[in-house]
Amino acid sequence: MKRLTFFIFAMMVIGFTSISAEAFAQKFMTRNGHISFFSKTPLENIEAHNRQVNSALDLANADFVFRLLMKSFIFEKALMQEHFNENYVESDKFPNASFSGKVLNMSEIDFTKKGSYKAVVEGDLTIHGVTKKVKESGVFEIEEGEIRGKCTFTIQLKDYDVKIPKTVANNIAETIEIRVDVLMKKI
């Protein structure tokens, strides 16, 4: 009887270990994630959306990355889009924005179980050729074969050397709210 109990226990441990190893050997990615930003000022609000965001999450080592073309942001007004690309973020000179970091609390997220889990991510955010360390909280929503990563955070334009001419300073906020929403599928 003791041998049978030990055998069952050993098989359970082996089974759990292989399930855990399989879960953490998975990679998830998307090429059509969504990042938007919002700027509120007394004169007018500015909002833009980019639905061509590449993003990947590697469960084995907690790497989380995204990359996007700045010219892929779409604005309500064509003139805003032109000014954004030519005058502010200088998209020809600095065509991409990116984030490369780690999920710090991987052990608290059950990627094998459907649900919503708080995630803490830390890494390097590069905008306008300037890289800054950031640490933000967000959410991972787990579905079968999919992980949706969501986060809302703010940046200061001056931190990324984005210059706003004095003539339009009242039209553009110094602090920009950024929303990330990436639905990654298992690869």
Side-chain angles (χ1 to χ4, degrees):
M1 183 67 173
K2 287 183 182 180
R3 285 185 186 171
L4 180 59
T5 303
F6 176 77
F7 177 75
I8 291 171
F9 177 75
M11 294 311 289
M12 287 173 51
V13 169
I14 290 169
F16 177 78
T17 303
S18 64
I19 288 171
S20 295
E22 180 182 310
F24 286 97
Q26 296 177 6
K27 294 180 182 178
F28 292 78
M29 73 168 292
T30 187
R31 294 183 205 277
N32 58 1
H34 178 217
I35 292 182
S36 62
F37 67 83
F38 182 77
S39 166
K40 183 176 182 164
T41 65
L43 293 178
E44 71 180 327
N45 295 333
I46 299 171
E47 186 172 7
H49 298 268
N50 186 331
R51 289 181 165 76
Q52 298 177 16
V53 178
N54 295 317
S55 182
L57 173 64
D58 187 338
L59 301 186
N61 57 18
D63 285 344
F64 184 50
V65 297
F66 68 77
R67 183 178 176 98
L68 58 113
L69 285 171
M70 297 303 285
K71 285 187 176 180
S72 294
F73 277 103
I74 305 298
F75 292 73
E76 182 181 338
K77 297 177 183 175
L79 188 58
M80 285 181 181
Q81 191 163 326
E82 182 181 322
H83 287 174
F84 171 79
N85 285 303
E86 292 177 7
N87 302 331
Y88 306 125
V89 296
E90 302 172 278
S91 296
D92 287 336
K93 188 175 179 182
F94 306 106
N96 301 303
S98 64
F99 172 81
S100 179
K102 298 264 186 199
V103 179
L104 299 180
N105 63 326
M106 286 291 281
S107 63
E108 299 170 18
I109 304 169
D110 187 349
F111 289 98
T112 64
K113 185 177 176 185
K114 182 179 176 178
S116 182
Y117 302 87
K118 182 179 176 186
V120 180
V121 178
E122 182 177 54
D124 295 324
L125 178 63
T126 302
I127 301 172
H128 195 239
V130 177
T131 302
K132 297 281 185 184
K133 280 272 187 220
V134 295
K135 183 177 179 181
E136 298 294 338
S137 294
V139 174
F140 281 131
E141 296 172 354
I142 312 301
E143 294 285 335
E144 188 172 324
E146 297 179 339
I147 299 172
R148 180 179 297 277
K150 290 180 164 184
C151 180
T152 301
F153 62 99
T154 59
I155 64 164
Q156 296 284 327
L157 292 178
K158 67 181 179 182
D159 291 345
Y160 293 91
D161 290 338
V162 176
K163 307 277 190 271
I164 306 301
K166 290 185 193 288
T167 56
V168 294
N170 292 336
N171 296 5
I172 299 172
E174 295 176 12
T175 301
I176 305 295
E177 179 184 84
I178 298 175
R179 287 182 229 111
V180 178
D181 185 356
V182 291
L183 179 60
M184 300 169 286
K185 296 183 185 266
K186 186 177 171 184
I187 57 171

